[in-house]
């Protein structure tokens, strides 16, 4: 059945949707059958991206690789228990439809704590948590403090992931491969970036995650959103003469390396 | 009574907490009495910053300007109506305590839609919405689309703000001065950044907001979080010989210009 990739981090704007978009397109380009689920019921960035992609392909008279996409609806009753039941049912139905027909499911999540977002964590085979090079971002994993003695208390998001891991082990002894991905890394490495990298390496052992190389802050990772394309696609100017710009090459390399780092189960012969 | 500054944007990671921190310290340095309310009950970035600031001042044996700070607690019953009543009461009490004793209240908000976050919007005299130079960020204000004919439908966050304005006008005919602030602007302006700036200028007329110059992406805006300092404070290396680094000067200038752009009511003689 499908290998589930969840992209999550309770911290806002770390790049969950950007990573979901590029991982999905990367796997599609590699020939895999990919399904996607957008759990960000209000913002729907992933859903909007694929709407733009479909619309662009139609007006260009071409076809572009598309995943089998599910956008979940928001539960909107005043009763939390009622909402949760409805959301669980919709999510379970979506998973059921895809788990036997697709090789990968990529699930994008919102930055707010919710029943649905926590449930997604327990379903992950691979959990990718993008993070910015910033102590504000580290603080949701482990409390930053100038005083070494007061540093390091496990914070609310790391807690959420550890709890999801416990639940998963109880259910089916399943393992969650947790990958931390530095995102929007600056071209020039500052002392701050070095310190962040060092903090993350220490945390990796304590929280049992591994770190991926990271994606730099590149305009090409965001400027194609209105037309639903990525650096992995044949972008018009680049398509002339088949020569890729340096930025498109660099972006493709970073996404390729990310997918390799994920050590996803590859299809048999 | 106090002039209320709300820093909000439903999009995650646009810099709400960073702007809240620097606006607060900027106003304190200018000698104003400032109170702060942290509505991000789970992540508490603003609260964590002031905890770090207090702790750093104590270990350094100095005093640092501090606002009168309120961190709201999360409502945690299973009944939404019940939570909302509790949160409203706590928020109303916090406002009541400060509105006559302080000149400014800065309210930081979480990136998720909630009763409390919406209520804060209706209380704003000044609403600052930071935004990244990205179509993904524009999309929560107005739907981006390659096809000019399909572009521009008002999106969910702009909707939320317009609704808050309507409610406010009904309550006390009050006006919300909505300021859009481009944040994490790259040093080199790309075509993408130019397009974003142009989209924002068009939206400004339609949604009735004005735009502020913007803050560049500067490591100094984030590297001092663990010690609760900002570029506006006397940072150790900079304090030697009283010479400020270029980055500290540039950051101070940007925060100064931001506060000026806010056109806040200044105290009488
Ligand atoms: N590697 C990158 N290079 C350039 N821009 C990026 C990169 N990653 C993310 N961005 C931009 O940063 C912003 C945040 O990214 P994104 O929306 O993917 O994060 P998110 O974690 O999904 O946010 P949210 O918490 O709101 O769901 C967006 O404007 C996006 O275009
Ligand atoms: N102008 C800036 N220069 C450098 N880094 C910045 C700047 N503004 C924000 N950041 C960094 O970007 C990230 C997001 O900023 P911040 O946490 O203030 O946003 P937010 O809108 O409060 O996020 P959330 O939606 O999670 O509450 C943080 O890592 C922060 O340190
Ligand atoms: Mg997202
Ligand atoms: Mg914040």
């Amino acid at each position: 059945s499908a290998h589930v990739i969840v992209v999550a981090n309770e911290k806002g704007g770390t790049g969950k949707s950007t990573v979901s978009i590029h991982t999905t397109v990367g796997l599609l380009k590699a020939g895999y059958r990919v399904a996607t689920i957008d759990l960000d019921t209000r913002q729907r960035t992933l859903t909007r991206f694929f709407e733009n992609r479909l619309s662009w392909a139609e007006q260009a008279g071409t076809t572009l690789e598309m995943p089998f996409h599910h956008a979940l609806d928001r539960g909107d009753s005043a009763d939390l228990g009622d909402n949760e039941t409805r959301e669980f049912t919709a999510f379970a139905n979506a998973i059921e439809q895809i788990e036997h027909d697709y090789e990968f499911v990529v699930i994008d999540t919102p930055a707010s704590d919710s029943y649905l977002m926590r449930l997604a964590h327990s379903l992950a085979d691979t959990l990718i948590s993008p993070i910015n090079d910033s102590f504000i971002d580290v603080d949701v994993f482990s409390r930053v403090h100038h005083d070494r003695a007061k540093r390091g208390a496990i914070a609310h998001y790391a807690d959420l992931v550890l709890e999801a891991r416990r639940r998963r082990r109880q259910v089916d002894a399943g393992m969650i491969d947790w990958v931390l991905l530095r995102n929007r890394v600056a071209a020039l490495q500052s002392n701050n970036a070095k310190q962040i990298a060092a903090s993350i390496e220490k945390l990796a052992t304590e929280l049992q995650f591994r770190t991926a190389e990271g994606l730099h802050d590149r305009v090409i990772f965001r400027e194609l959103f209105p037309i639903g394309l990525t650096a992995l696609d044949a972008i018009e100017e680049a398509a002339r003469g088949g020569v890729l710009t340096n930025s498109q090459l660099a972006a493709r390399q970073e996404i390729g390396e990310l997918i390799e780092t994920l050590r996803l189960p590859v299809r048999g012969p």
Side-chain angles (χ1 to χ4, degrees), chain A:
Chain A
S1 71
H3 183 94
V4 180
I5 299 168
V6 174
V7 189
N9 187 338
E10 204 177 329
K11 181 68 184 78
T14 54
K16 298 178 283 298
S17 302
T18 297
V19 169
S20 299
I21 288 167
H22 290 82
T23 302
T24 298
V25 175
L27 291 171
L28 286 169
K29 296 281 185 188
Y32 293 101
R33 291 175 57 72
V34 186
T36 44
I37 301 179
D38 190 350
L39 293 186
D40 195 338
T41 52
R42 189 136 147 99
Q43 195 163 288
R44 308 174 125 231
T45 307
L46 189 67
T47 303
R48 290 282 300 117
F49 175 82
F50 289 118
E51 282 175 4
N52 293 344
R53 190 174 180 81
L54 188 64
S55 164
W56 182 254
E58 285 176 349
Q59 68 83 40
T62 58
T63 54
L64 287 165
E65 302 86 344
M66 297 285 292
F68 179 67
H69 182 71
H70 254 102
L72 248 67
D73 289 323
R74 203 171 206 206
D76 57 6
S77 88
D79 182 72
L80 272 178
D82 192 34
N83 279 343
E84 288 180 1
T85 306
R86 244 187 269 184
E87 287 172 346
F88 173 81
T89 307
F91 191 28
N93 288 341
I95 297 272
E96 192 176 339
Q97 277 190 45
I98 54 194
E99 60 183 339
H100 300 301
D101 295 342
Y102 292 86
E103 293 165 287
F104 294 102
V105 187
V106 179
I107 304 179
D108 191 16
T109 61
S112 44
D113 183 19
S114 71
Y115 170 75
L116 206 54
M117 177 265 217
R118 288 185 184 238
L119 178 61
H121 279 78
S122 354
L123 299 179
D125 294 312
T126 298
L127 171 64
I128 306 173
S129 290
I131 179 174
N132 284 332
D133 267 353
S134 171
F135 286 114
I136 283 183
D137 285 46
V138 173
D139 207 51
V140 307
F141 290 86
S142 162
R143 293 301 180 212
V144 302
H145 202 286
H146 58 88
D147 183 344
R148 204 167 284 272
K150 295 190 182 152
R151 197 180 296 172
I154 289 185
H156 63 285
Y157 179 62
D159 232 7
L160 188 156
V161 178
L162 298 183
E163 175 57 26
R165 262 183 171 158
R166 277 192 290 273
R167 274 201 312 272
R168 177 63 173 286
R169 276 202 297 272
Q170 293 170 0
V171 163
D172 68 356
M175 303 291 287
I176 297 176
D177 180 19
W178 192 10
V179 180
L180 214 81
L181 171 70
R182 286 169 60 209
N183 185 36
R184 300 193 66 179
V185 175
L188 257 52
Q189 196 192 32
S190 59
N191 261 329
N192 179 61
K194 291 201 192 89
Q195 289 174 353
I196 302 284
S199 305
I200 289 175
E201 284 315 316
K202 284 217 208 79
L203 277 176
T205 336
E206 181 183 0
L207 298 177
Q208 301 257 300
F209 60 72
R210 55 198 187 87
T211 52
E213 189 60 41
L215 304 178
H216 281 83
D217 198 328
R218 301 183 187 280
V219 178
I220 200 167
F221 280 132
R222 60 178 183 250
E223 66 185 327
L224 303 171
F225 177 78
I227 56 178
L229 296 185
T230 68
L232 309 177
D233 295 298
I235 306 167
E236 221 178 285
E237 339 75 339
R240 293 192 198 119
V243 177
L244 303 176
T245 61
N246 282 341
S247 99
Q248 194 172 4
L249 269 169
R252 285 187 177 195
Q253 181 139 358
E254 289 186 340
I255 297 302
E257 284 174 10
L258 167 59
I259 289 178
E260 206 161 309
T261 303
L262 296 180
R263 300 180 211 153
L264 301 170
V266 284
R267 64 167 80 82

